[in-house]
Amino acid sequence: MTKKDFNTSLEKANQILISHYESLNTDKDVTSDEQIKSILPFTARKKTGISRHISKKVACILAAAVFTGMLLFLFSGETSAIFFGWIKEQHKNYVKYISPKKNSNSAALKSYTVNYVPKDYSFENAEHDDGSRTLIYTTQSGDVLTIIYSSGEKEVEYYVHSAQSKMYSVSVNGLSADLYLSSDNQTPSAITWYDKENQLFFYILAPLPEEELIKIAENIKQSESALQMNTSERFLDALVKCEKKYYKEALSAHQQKHQKLLTQDTYIVKYQTIDKPVYTFVDYEEKPTAHFIVEIAYIYDTSTETPVKIFDAAISDVYLTSVQSCHFDNGGYNIRVEDNLARISSTGQFGFNDCLTSTQTYASTIRLQELAD
Amino acid sequence: MSKTPTTTIPTFDAIYHTYQNLMFRVAMNILKNKSDAEDAVQLACIKIADNLEKLTDIHCAKTKGYIITITENKAVDIYRQNAKKNHLEYNADFIGFTIPCETDDRLAGCILRLPVLYREMIMLRYYYGYKMKEVADLMDISLANAYKTEQRAKKRLKELCQKEGILE
């Protein structure tokens, strides 16, 4: 079974779904069109259209806000506290952490890695946006470990259900943290803390005991390469410039050899080099497959802080189809350039179409040639 | 003279007036109650209005299917709330929720035989290409719950496919 088959079946399922509900038109149990028009909301608003709908929504939001305010008044004394821009609201049954919406240290998000999860948990998925990262790990029995870290750049709220939990103040790598230990099997325990230096809020949610939660929390660390190099933004800037300059050149150099592969659905991922196959794509039913070409076209020479083009780079034809997007989230890299040799080692996480991910470690030595102006 | 098919960029008004009857029928099919169906349509409308930018053509099958899926989801939410209020057990395999299908496409048949929430999850994730966070927002469930639902949906789909002999 291929992804194409799956897409065809989804399309077919959608058609059957539509036909089924459209066929209800003649069903005696269902109300006639005219009756529906007299029942449904918004129907009398043809002239004013969406404006009334919006005003109704606004009214609902205002009402909700007033109601929430009343709840706050009723149930919580101090209710809210501000720590480093994040607002912590204590409600009767839950605690809400609200982002400040003004921090912009999302670059720091990239430098953190999760170095420990309990052995029963395996990586399931990761979602990233400009202001936060969410990592999901699951067990075979269906338990979910959620790790979120957020710069608070965008408007976001995180909830901890506290009705069935007791809150304790603990320490995570010297930072004060709130630990919510659940007393029932239905509610997961949680731990939250704020890293003032990097302006990041952390939130872990899982049905785990205190020791495990703290152990996971203490093992979320900035990668050593990020700490040593501290050039990640400059590195990325250089990459962008380098891409602009050499993209066409790199493309044409391999175009003849890979003409068939260089289709619209083909992406070239830079900064990868492969001595041996590092991609083990999973079965179709688990995650959709995709094909693409991986080549390393240039790297960044950290000694001179300049991009260096790589000739005779290893090329891997990892052939994927229907790729809409692909990202390489470098969990940590180490590039050393000496004479004409570059030693690159990296652990990275790859995602395609936001649903296929794999974490790989690989290393290679490649020959370099400096670029002529 | 033949008509050239045109693509209409959807507005909320246009979607509402095109699909209001269909949405109501979807909700009525599940809830069997006019006022509950009305609520379901209203909730679905709000979700659709919030996600208008995702829709490209008002008349395409994808848009129609999406509107059905969202309405179905809101109707099932109300059904579950009602069941809870009345101390009834919620049965995801309830006959009104399944889509009777006769198709040569065995995989499509398996997808349609999934319990409604699992089918919606599979469709939203893999047919409409929504991110998990977006699915969680659409379905009004937590992200962790969404992942759990997806995991179960995939497991159930795999079981159905094995039963059908599509997978070993």
Side-chain angles (χ1 to χ4, degrees), chain A residues 1 6 8-14 16-18 20-22 24-25 30-31 33 36-37 39-43 46 49-50 53 56-57 124-125 127 129 134 136 138-139 142 144 146 284-286 354-355, chain B residues 12-13 16-17 20-21 24-26 29 34 38 41-42 45-46 49-50 61 64-65 68 72 99-101 103 105 107-108 111-112 119 123 125-128 131-133 143-144 147-148 151 154 158 166:
Chain A
M1 195 193 300
F6 186 47
T8 310
S9 297
L10 285 168
E11 188 103 46
K12 184 78 189 164
N14 189 50
I16 294 170
L17 194 69
I18 293 168
H20 168 69
Y21 281 115
E22 283 186 335
L24 294 177
N25 209 5
V30 175
T31 324
D33 282 5
I36 290 170
K37 278 178 186 167
I39 291 168
L40 279 176
F42 316 128
T43 308
K46 281 183 182 172
I50 198 166
H53 165 66
K56 186 164 183 177
K57 263 189 97 175
E124 174 78 22
N125 210 336
E127 288 195 354
D129 60 35
T134 304
I136 301 289
T138 54
T139 64
V144 179
T146 308
Y284 154 72
E285 67 269 20
E286 287 296 321
D354 205 42
C355 48
Chain B
F12 177 76
D13 270 3
Y16 183 72
H17 289 118
Q20 56 177 341
N21 293 357
F24 189 74
R25 285 192 184 92
V26 171
N29 185 51
K34 281 178 193 170
E38 190 186 329
V41 171
Q42 194 156 5
C45 282
I46 289 169
D50 286 344
K64 202 183 274 190
I68 287 173
E72 215 182 24
I99 305 299
C101 64
T103 171
D105 189 328
L107 178 54
I111 293 167
L112 291 167
R119 167 164 50 79
M123 295 300 281
R125 283 283 281 158
Y126 299 106
Y127 186 56
Y128 300 106
K131 289 180 181 177
M132 195 55 105
K133 202 175 165 192
L143 193 59
Y147 276 106
K148 235 176 198 178
Q151 208 179 27
K154 286 198 289 192
K158 193 177 175 183
I166 305 169

Side-chain angles (χ1 to χ4, degrees), chain B residues 115-149:
Chain B
V116 63
L117 288 180
Y118 295 169
R119 167 164 50 79
E120 285 164 5
M121 174 59 78
I122 296 287
M123 295 300 281
L124 288 170
R125 283 283 281 158
Y126 299 106
Y127 186 56
Y128 300 106
Y130 276 95
K131 289 180 181 177
M132 195 55 105
K133 202 175 165 192
E134 293 169 329
V135 176
D137 286 345
L138 276 171
M139 294 174 86
D140 289 317
I141 55 177
S142 69
L143 193 59
N145 199 353
Y147 276 106
K148 235 176 198 178
T149 308

Side-chain angles (χ1 to χ4, degrees), chain B residues 18-32:
Chain B
T18 308
Y19 292 116
Q20 56 177 341
N21 293 357
L22 179 64
M23 289 168 82
F24 189 74
R25 285 192 184 92
V26 171
M28 270 296 279
N29 185 51
I30 292 165
L31 294 161
K32 319 284 183 201

